[in-house]
Amino acid sequence: MAQQAYMTETDNGSSGPEHRTSRLRRVLDRLAGGWRGDRRVWRRGIVLAVCAVLLALVMLAHAHVPNAIGNLGSLIETFLPWLGLFVPLLLLLGLLRRSATALIATILPAAVWLNLFGGLLTDKTAAGGDLTVATHNVNADNPDPSRTARDVAASGADVLALEELKATEVPTYEAALAGTYKYHAVVGTVGLWSKYPLSDVQPVDIRLGWKRAMRATVTAPAGRVAVYVAHLPSVRVKLEAGFTARQRDKSADALGEAIAAEPLPNVVLLGDLNGTMNDRALKGVTAQMRSTQGAVGSGFGFSWPASFPMARIDQILVKGAEPESSWTLPATASDHLPIAARVRVTTSTD
């Protein structure tokens, strides 16, 4: 009787997979029925379709958006991944407008976005590597520098770079990191802490007039690595001037020249570059180095602002050394998130 009752309940259409399938079919038929016979389905939504095509063109040809007016091209490139949010919006508007033309056109920006950033949606991290590096803009106005130092040291990094060091707080960072890192050097507002010996420490002239970049040789067990630490000038978005980044751009070119002249085969750049890998203004650096996040990271790895990360302006770039994994560290008292990567030092007779 129990079996019969169960069969009766499912057969009367109140539950069961067949009923759920028929309900879904009725919903789809209702939606499709509203479009059948509508001669305007192709004529409506032309404006939406044009917007979709323009969005695709901006993403596809972002390198050709001129910087002559307010550095508009660099501004777009800084937040380029976020343009993808317009795709579901266009899709929704196309559905509400009941426009087949708009819906088909939306496929174009969706395809372009996936081509540009789809690879970042997968986890490419791998085991391996023999040197863990990390970098963090600690913020000159950090309310708790000691705890911030301990937090980033807990990441297990063999080499740690800090930027925006206030002179009066340097002793605090030195004291907090002394137990983890035997070697360290501070040049201007940037510093490098290492578990392995440092040598050839020197400032790098990035044409600022004060010291915000340095270079040192880290003698790791796997070999010598040239480590650069840099904090490029900040950029600003102003109503009267747009995206102002002229000094940042000049400093990026100078940093790129220094790295290009580096004699060691294994090079790591750690720091706050105030720009993303998409920003053409950083091509003096990015054209010759690889982003660990782009190569072996998981996700976009946004690092700023810490309260709601929207862009990865803090970077770990390598040349010669092979990236194995890259990740973002938990928030500290800074307005930036710290980031880390594990790299494999390539064999060298140098």
Side-chain angles (χ1 to χ4, degrees):
M1 291 296 293
Q3 182 177 6
Q4 183 178 358
Y6 172 77
M7 293 177 64
T8 302
E9 183 181 5
T10 56
D11 288 342
N12 65 13
S14 63
S15 63
E18 290 185 5
H19 174 68
R20 286 193 295 270
T21 301
S22 62
R23 180 185 298 173
L24 177 61
R25 185 180 295 114
R26 286 198 300 271
V27 171
L28 293 176
D29 287 343
R30 190 178 299 116
L31 289 174
W35 293 51
R36 287 197 199 101
D38 188 348
R39 298 179 180 179
R40 296 179 299 168
V41 71
W42 295 104
R43 295 197 297 268
R44 283 194 300 260
I46 299 299
V47 173
L48 288 176
V50 171
C51 290
V53 172
L54 289 176
L55 177 61
L57 289 175
V58 169
M59 290 191 291
L60 189 63
H62 61 86
H64 299 288
V65 177
N67 259 341
I69 302 176
N71 280 293
L72 180 61
S74 286
L75 178 60
I76 289 175
E77 288 166 338
T78 298
F79 300 102
L80 192 60
W82 292 94
L83 293 183
L85 292 178
F86 288 104
V87 173
L89 176 61
L90 289 170
L91 179 62
L92 177 61
L93 292 175
L95 287 171
L96 293 175
R97 195 77 176 87
R98 295 170 66 181
S99 167
T101 302
L103 291 178
I104 293 175
T106 303
I107 296 174
L108 187 58
V112 173
W113 191 92
L114 287 173
N115 180 62
L116 290 173
F117 303 110
L120 295 175
L121 301 179
T122 60
D123 187 351
K124 301 181 291 296
T125 59
D130 42 40
L131 186 69
T132 302
V133 297
T135 182
H136 189 27
N137 179 325
V138 296
N139 187 0
D141 297 321
N142 192 311
D144 195 349
S146 182
R147 181 172 181 177
T148 295
R150 292 194 300 270
D151 287 346
V152 290
S155 67
D158 301 310
V159 177
L160 170 64
L162 299 182
E163 304 87 48
E164 208 167 297
L165 292 170
K166 183 184 285 187
T168 56
E169 298 294 348
V170 169
T172 302
Y173 287 102
E174 291 175 330
L177 296 171
T180 305
Y181 301 99
K182 185 177 180 180
Y183 309 94
H184 85 280
V186 175
V187 175
T189 61
V190 298
L192 189 64
W193 277 258
S194 175
K195 296 179 180 179
Y196 308 121
L198 297 177
S199 59
D200 303 324
V201 177
Q202 56 189 284
V204 176
D205 182 10
I206 55 173
R207 301 169 191 163
L208 271 177
W210 66 95
K211 298 173 182 177
R212 282 177 46 155
M214 63 177 289
R215 178 234 181 257
T217 298
V218 175
T219 305
R224 294 201 296 163
V225 181
V227 177
Y228 286 76
V229 183
H231 182 194
L232 297 187
S234 300
V235 296
R236 297 287 185 268
V237 179
K238 301 179 181 179
L239 291 177
E240 72 279 8
F243 189 67
T244 59
R246 185 173 302 171
Q247 186 56 62
R248 189 278 311 266
D249 300 350
K250 292 180 179 179
S251 293
D253 290 340
L255 179 61
E257 291 169 8
I259 292 173
E262 173 58 50
L264 290 182
N266 289 287
V267 184
V268 175
L269 169 60
L270 307 169
D272 175 6
L273 303 189
N274 270 306
T276 68
M277 291 298 291
N278 294 313
D279 192 337
R280 76 196 71 174
L282 301 184
K283 64 181 179 181
V285 174
T286 57
Q288 57 180 317
M289 305 190 81
R290 300 171 65 194
S291 163
T292 58
Q293 186 67 24
V296 295
S298 175
F300 291 94
F302 295 146
S303 63
W304 178 87
S307 57
F308 188 83
M310 296 184 65
R312 186 180 176 88
I313 62 175
D314 302 275
Q315 305 289 351
I316 299 177
L317 308 181
V318 295
K319 182 170 71 170
E322 285 293 324
E324 298 288 348
S325 56
S326 186
W327 62 97
T328 302
L329 296 169
T332 68
S334 172
D335 57 341
H336 290 243
L337 294 178
I339 59 174
R342 188 152 179 85
V343 303
R344 175 168 49 85
V345 179
T346 56
T347 304
S348 172
T349 57
D350 187 82

